[in-house]
C-alpha cells in the first residue's frame, strides 16, 4: 500500500480551501439570505411573520443539529461523497420548495431538507481542511471561513435580483440550481490518505505498517507519523463499535469538554446582536438604508478579519497559544457589546459595527481551528458533530432571549449587556481552563518522557513504537495531537 | 440661505379638536416649499403664517390668503402671525391654500390639503400561470371606509366584482388598513395594471400595482443553464483528477523500481560489511 504522508499543507490543499470557501459560505449565508423572500411568502400564504421566521429557524436548527449524522457519514465515507450528496439534497429541497402550496411544505422542503443538505456541507468542509493542512491550518481555516461573509454579500443582492425578476417561486427554483455548486465544491475534495477519521482498529495491519514505517522513516526522517494517532484511537476506545461511527470517548477528553462548555456558553450571546443591530439603529432614529449599511460594514470588516486572523493565528508566536488568542477574541467581542449602549448616534454605531465585525471575524476564523488544535485532525470529525449539536440549542435560544429582554424592558441596552456579559464570561472561562489544560498537557508530556527513558518499563505497543521513533530523528512520542503539532512547529522553527 | 421652520401644535379642547399648522416665513424667495397636510376625515384646522422675527421691522405688510386663486378672509392672530380657520367637510374643501405677504419683499407659502396617499408597488408582482396571485394594498395610519379594486382594460378602469366571479377573484379585507386581491388560476391575460382604491370621508385615493405573469419556462431556462454548468464543472474536475492520478502512477512505479534497486544494493552492502567484520 501507499505509505502514509503528512498533510500536504499546500498544493491541491488550496483548491480544497476554495471548495470549502464555497461550501461553508452557502451553509452560513444561505439561511440569512432567504429573509428577502419572507414578506412576499407571508402575503402569499396569509401567515404571520413569526410563522415565516420558523423556516429560518428550522433550517438553522437542522444545519447544526444534524452535525453528528454528518460526522458519522464522513467517518464512514469520507468528505467528498457527503458534500456532493449534501449539495444535491439542497438543490432538491429548494426545487421542491418552488412548487409548495402550504407553509408546512415550506418548513419541510426549505427547513428540513435544505437544512440537512447544508449540514452535510458544513461539517465535511471543515473536516477536510484538517486533513490537508497542519502547519498552515489556521490560514486555511481563516480563508475558508471567509466564505460566509463573502457569500452573504453576494447572495443578498442576487436574491433581490432573482425576486424582482422571477418572484419567489422562480427564485427558489434557480437558487436550487445555484446550491448545486456545493456539489462542485465537493468534487474538489479529493480524498487524502493521511489521518483518516476512520477509527477502525487494525491491530495486525499496525505491525505490518510499523515495519513499513520504519523503512520509510529511515529515508524521510522528517515525516510526521500521523498514522500513529489512528493506532492510539484503536487502543483508547472502550466501546469500539459505536466509536467507529461517532467518537463518544471525546467526552472524556479534557480539551474537548473545555471547548464544548465555553462555546455553548458563547453562542448564547453571539448572534443576537447581529439580528438586532438594524432594529436598534432604527429604534434610535436612523433611517432604514443607513441601518442596513451598518450590516454591510460589518460584513466587509468580517470578510477581511477572517483571513487576517488566520494569518496571525498561524504565526509562531500565536500558534502554540492559540487557545488564549481565541479566548481573547471572545472576550473582546463581549466588551464591544457591553460598550455598545454607550455609542451615541450614527457614528458611534458605525464604530461599533467595525469593531463587532472585527471581533466576529476573529472568533469565526478560529472557531474550528481551536477545536482541531485540541482534539487533533483524526478525532475532529466526531468532535465537530458533537459540538454543533450542543451549540444548536443555544444558537436557537440566543436571539429569542434577546428579543424577550427587549420586549420586557423596552430598551435594547439590556440585550447588549446580556450578550456582552455572556461572552466575556465565556472568554474568561476558556482562558482560565485552557491555561489549566496547557499546564496539564505539559505535565503529562514530562511524565511520558520520563517513563520512556526508563529501561525497565513494560513494553506495551505504545512503547514499542516509541523505541522505533527513537531510532529516527524525531524528538519524543507523538501521543497528544496538540504536542504533535508543537513538535511539527518546533521542527519548522529548527529548520528555518 | 433661508430655511422654513415648520411647527405643528395640537390644541385639544372639548369635542372640537382643532389641529394647527404653522409655517415660518420667509421661505425660499418667490415660491416656497409649502406643507402637505393629510386629512382623512372631516375636521377643523387652523393654518397660520408667522413672520420671522428678524423681518418684523418691515412696514406696510399686506397679507393675502388664497384658496387656489380665490381670496379668502383671514384674521391676524398677533403682530407677526396671520391665520385662517377652515372647516373641512368634503372633497371640495381640500386643495391648495396659500398665504402671501406683500411689502418691501414678497413672501409666500402653500398648504396642500389632501387625502391620504395609498402606496402601490413600483416593482411588479410576479406570478406564474395556473398559480394564485395576491396583490396587497396598505393604507398607512388612516383607515379607509371601503376598498375597491380595479383592473385596467386598455385605458379603462373596470371595477372587480368578486361576487360575480367568485372562482376567479377573491377580495378580502385582512385588517382595517390592509386589503388584498387574490386572483385564482392566473393566465397571461391577467397581466397588467391593477388599482386599489381607498375611499375616505373626504375623498378617494388610488394605488397602482403591476401584475406580471410568467410561464414556467422562464425560470426554467436559467435553471437548466446553471445545472448544465455544474455538471460540466464536476465532469472537468473528475477528468482532471483521473488524468493527474495516471501521471502520478507512472511516476510512482518508476520511483518504486528505483527504491527496490536501492534496497537490494543496501542489503548487499550490509552483508559485505558483516562478512568483513567477522
Amino acid at each position: 500500500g501507499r505509505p502514509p504522508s503528512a498533510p500536504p499543507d499546500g498544493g491541491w490543499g488550496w483548491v480544497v480551501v476554495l471548495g470549502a470557501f464555497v461550501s461553508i459560505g452557502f451553509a452560513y449565508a444561505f439561511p440569512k439570505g432567504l429573509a428577502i423572500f419572507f414578506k412576499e411568502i407571508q402575503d402569499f400564504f396569509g401567515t404571520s411573520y413569526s410563522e415565516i421566521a420558523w423556516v429560518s429557524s428550522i433550517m438553522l436548527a437542522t444545519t447544526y443539529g444534524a452535525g453528528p449524522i454528518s460526522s458519522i457519514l464522513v467517518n464512514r465515507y469520507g468528505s467528498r461523497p457527503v458534500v456532493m450528496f449534501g449539495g444535491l439534497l439542497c438543490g432538491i429541497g429548494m426545487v421542491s420548495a418552488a412548487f409548495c402550496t402550504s407553509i408546512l411544505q415550506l418548513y419541510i422542503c426549505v427547513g428540513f431538507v435544505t437544512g440537512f443538505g447544508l449540514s452535510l456541507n458544513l461539517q465535511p468542509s471543515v473536516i477536510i481542511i484538517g486533513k490537508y493542512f497542519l502547519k498552515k491550518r489556521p490560514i486555511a481555516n481563516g480563508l475558508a471561513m471567509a466564505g460566509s461573509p463573502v457569500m452573504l454579500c453576494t447572495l443578498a443582492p442576487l436574491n433581490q435580483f432573482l425576486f424582482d425578476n422571477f418572484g419567489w417561486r422562480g427564485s427558489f427554483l434557480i437558487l436550487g440550481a445555484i446550491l448545486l455548486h456545493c456539489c462542485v465544491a465537493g468534487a474538489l475534495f479529493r480524498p487524502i490518505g493521511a489521518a483518516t477519521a476512520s477509527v477502525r482498529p487494525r491491530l495486525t495491519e499496525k505491525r505490518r505498517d510499523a515495519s513499513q514505517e520504519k523503512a520509510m522513516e529511515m529515508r524521510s526522517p522528517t515525516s510526521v507519523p500521523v498514522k500513529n494517532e489512528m493506532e492510539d484511537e484503536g487502543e483508547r476506545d472502550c466501546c469500539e463499535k459505536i466509536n467507529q461511527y461517532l467518537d463518544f470517548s471525546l467526552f472524556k477528553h479534557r480539551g474537548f469538554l473545555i471547548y464544548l462548555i465555553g462555546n455553548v456558553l458563547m453562542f448564547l450571546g453571539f448572534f443576537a446582536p447581529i439580528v438586532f443591530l438594524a432594529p436598534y439603529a432604527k429604534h434610535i432614529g436612523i433611517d432604514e438604508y443607513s441601518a442596513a449599511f451598518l450590516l454591510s460594514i460589518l460584513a466587509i470588516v468580517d470578510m477581511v478579519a477572517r483571513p487576517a486572523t488566520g494569518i496571525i493565528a498561524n504565526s509562531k508566536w500565536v500558534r502554540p497559544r492559540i487557545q488564549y488568542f481565541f479566548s481573547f477574541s471572545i472576550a473582546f467581542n463581549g466588551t464591544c457589546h457591553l460598550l455598545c449602549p454607550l455609542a451615541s448616534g450614527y457614528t458611534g454605531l458605525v464604530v461599533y459595527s467595525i469593531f463587532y465585525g472585527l471581533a466576529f471575524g476573529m472568533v469565526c476564523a478560529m472557531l474550528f481551528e481551536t477545536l482541531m488544535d485540541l482534539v487533533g485532525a483524526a478525532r475532529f470529525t466526531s468532535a465537530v458533530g458533537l459540538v454543533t449539536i450542543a451549540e444548536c440549542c443555544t444558537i436557537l435560544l440566543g436571539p429569542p432571549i434577546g428579543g424577550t429582554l427587549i420586549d420586557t424592558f423596552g430598551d435594547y441596552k439590556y440585550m447588549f449587556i446580556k450578550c456582552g456579559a455572556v461572552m466575556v464570561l465565556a472568554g474568561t472561562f476558556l482562558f482560565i481552563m485552557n491555561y489549566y489544560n496547557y499546564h496539564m498537557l505539559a505535565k503529562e508530556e514530562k511524565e511520558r518522557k520520563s517513563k520512556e527513558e526508563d529501561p525497565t518499563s513494560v513494553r506495551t505497543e505504545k512503547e514499542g513504537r516509541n523505541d522505533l521513533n527513537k531510532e529516527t530523528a524525531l524528538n519524543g512520542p507523538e501521543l497528544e495531537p496538540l504536542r504533535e503539532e508543537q513538535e511539527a512547529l518546533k521542527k519548522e522553527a529548527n529548520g528555518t | 440661505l433661508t430655511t422654513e421652520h415648520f411647527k405643528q401644535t395640537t390644541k385639544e379642547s372639548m369635542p372640537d379638536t382643532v389641529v394647527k399648522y404653522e409655517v415660518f416665513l420667509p421661505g425660499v424667495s418667490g415660491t416656497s416649499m409649502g406643507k402637505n397636510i393629510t386629512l382623512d376625515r372631516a375636521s377643523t384646522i387652523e393654518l397660520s403664517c408667522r413672520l420671522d422675527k428678524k423681518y418684523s421691522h418691515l412696514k406696510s405688510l399686506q397679507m393675502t390668503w388664497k384658496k387656489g386663486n380665490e381670496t379668502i378672509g383671514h384674521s391676524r392672530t398677533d403682530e407677526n402671525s396671520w391665520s385662517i380657520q377652515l372647516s373641512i367637510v368634503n372633497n371640495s374643501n381640500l386643495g391648495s391654500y396659500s398665504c402671501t405677504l406683500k411689502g418691501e419683499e414678497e413672501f409666500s407659502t402653500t398648504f396642500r390639503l389632501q387625502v391620504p396617499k395609498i402606496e402601490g408597488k413600483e416593482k411588479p408582482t410576479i406570478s406564474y400561470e395556473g398559480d394564485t396571485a395576491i396583490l396587497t394594498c396598505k393604507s398607512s395610519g388612516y383607515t379607509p371606509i371601503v376598498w375597491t379594486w380595479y383592473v385596467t382594460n386598455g385605458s379603462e378602469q373596470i371595477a372587480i366584482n368578486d361576487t360575480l366571479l367568485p372562482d376567479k377573484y377573491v377580495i378580502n379585507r385582512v385588517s382595517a388598513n390592509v386589503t388584498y386581491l387574490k386572483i385564482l388560476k392566473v393566465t397571461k391575460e391577467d397581466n397588467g395594471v391593477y388599482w386599489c382604491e381607498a375611499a375616505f370621508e373626504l375623498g378617494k385615493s388610488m394605488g397602482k400595482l403591476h401584475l406580471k405573469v410568467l410561464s414556467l419556462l422562464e425560470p426554467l431556462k436559467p435553471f437548466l443553464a446553471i445545472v448544465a454548468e455544474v455538471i460540466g464543472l464536476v465532469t472537468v474536475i473528475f477528468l482532471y483528477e483521473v488524468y493527474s492520478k495516471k501521471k502520478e502512477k507512472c511516476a510512482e512505479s518508476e520511483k518504486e523500481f528505483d527504491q527496490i534497486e536501492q534496497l537490494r544494493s543496501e542489503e548487499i552492502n550490509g552483508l559485505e560489511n558483516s562478512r568483513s567484520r567477522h
Side-chain angles (χ1 to χ4, degrees), chain B residues 11 18 20 44-47 73-75 83-87:
Chain B
K11 190 170 119 182
V18 182
K20 285 183 170 181
T44 316
I45 59 167
E46 189 181 297
L47 306 173
H74 65 273
S75 57
S83 64
I84 50 170
Q85 252 209 22
L86 300 166
S87 234

Side-chain angles (χ1 to χ4, degrees), chain A residues 2 12 39-40 43-45 80 84 95 99 160 163-171 173-174 176-178 180-181 183-184 187-188 190-191 216 219, chain B residues 121 123-126 128 131-134 136 138 212 214 216 218-220 222-223 226-227 229-230 233-234 237-238 240-241 244 248 252 259 262-263:
Chain A
R2 288 186 66 206
W12 188 254
K39 180 74 180 58
E40 180 76 8
D43 284 340
F44 188 84
F45 288 117
R80 175 188 262 174
M84 295 189 74
V95 167
F99 298 103
Q160 188 64 47
F163 176 64
D164 289 340
N165 286 295
F166 297 105
W168 67 271
R169 286 195 193 270
S171 302
L173 189 70
I174 297 176
I178 291 177
L180 285 178
H181 283 94
C183 292
V184 177
L188 293 170
R190 246 187 237 177
M216 283 295 120
R219 236 166 278 118
Chain B
K121 278 210 185 82
K123 295 184 193 161
T125 310
I126 313 253
Y128 289 92
D131 196 13
T132 311
I134 301 201
T136 327
K138 238 181 279 215
K212 197 164 159 190
L214 301 173
L216 275 165
E218 303 245 359
L220 203 64
F223 172 77
I226 297 174
V227 172
E229 176 222 339
V230 165
L233 281 174
V234 173
I237 291 170
F238 276 127
Y240 177 72
E241 189 170 324
S244 54
E248 242 180 75
E252 234 187 63
Q259 282 169 0
Q262 211 182 345
L263 265 172

Side-chain angles (χ1 to χ4, degrees), chain A residues 133-165:
Chain A
F133 287 90
L134 180 58
K135 296 194 201 115
K136 299 215 183 103
R137 201 174 57 199
I139 297 181
N141 263 315
L143 279 172
M145 294 298 279
S148 172
V150 169
M151 276 297 171
L152 188 62
C153 286
T154 321
L155 272 181
L158 179 71
N159 279 358
Q160 188 64 47
F161 170 77
L162 285 176
F163 176 64
D164 289 340
N165 286 295

Side-chain angles (χ1 to χ4, degrees), chain B residues 21 47 64 70 81 96 117 138 162 203 221 265:
Chain B
Y21 299 91
L47 306 173
T64 329
E70 205 184 291
S81 152
S96 296
K117 278 218 166 58
K138 238 181 279 215
D162 57 337
K221 284 182 244 159
S265 60

Side-chain angles (χ1 to χ4, degrees), chain A residues 65-116:
Chain A
I69 302 176
S70 203
S71 296
I72 293 171
L73 289 172
V74 172
N75 266 331
R76 184 86 178 73
Y77 298 108
S79 285
R80 175 188 262 174
V82 179
V83 176
M84 295 189 74
F85 178 65
L88 201 64
L89 210 59
C90 289
I92 292 173
M94 288 313 285
V95 167
S96 50
F99 298 103
C100 278
T101 52
S102 82
I103 190 88
L104 189 66
Q105 290 173 8
L106 267 185
Y107 287 157
I108 297 172
C109 294
V110 179
F112 282 115
V113 177
T114 312
F116 185 54

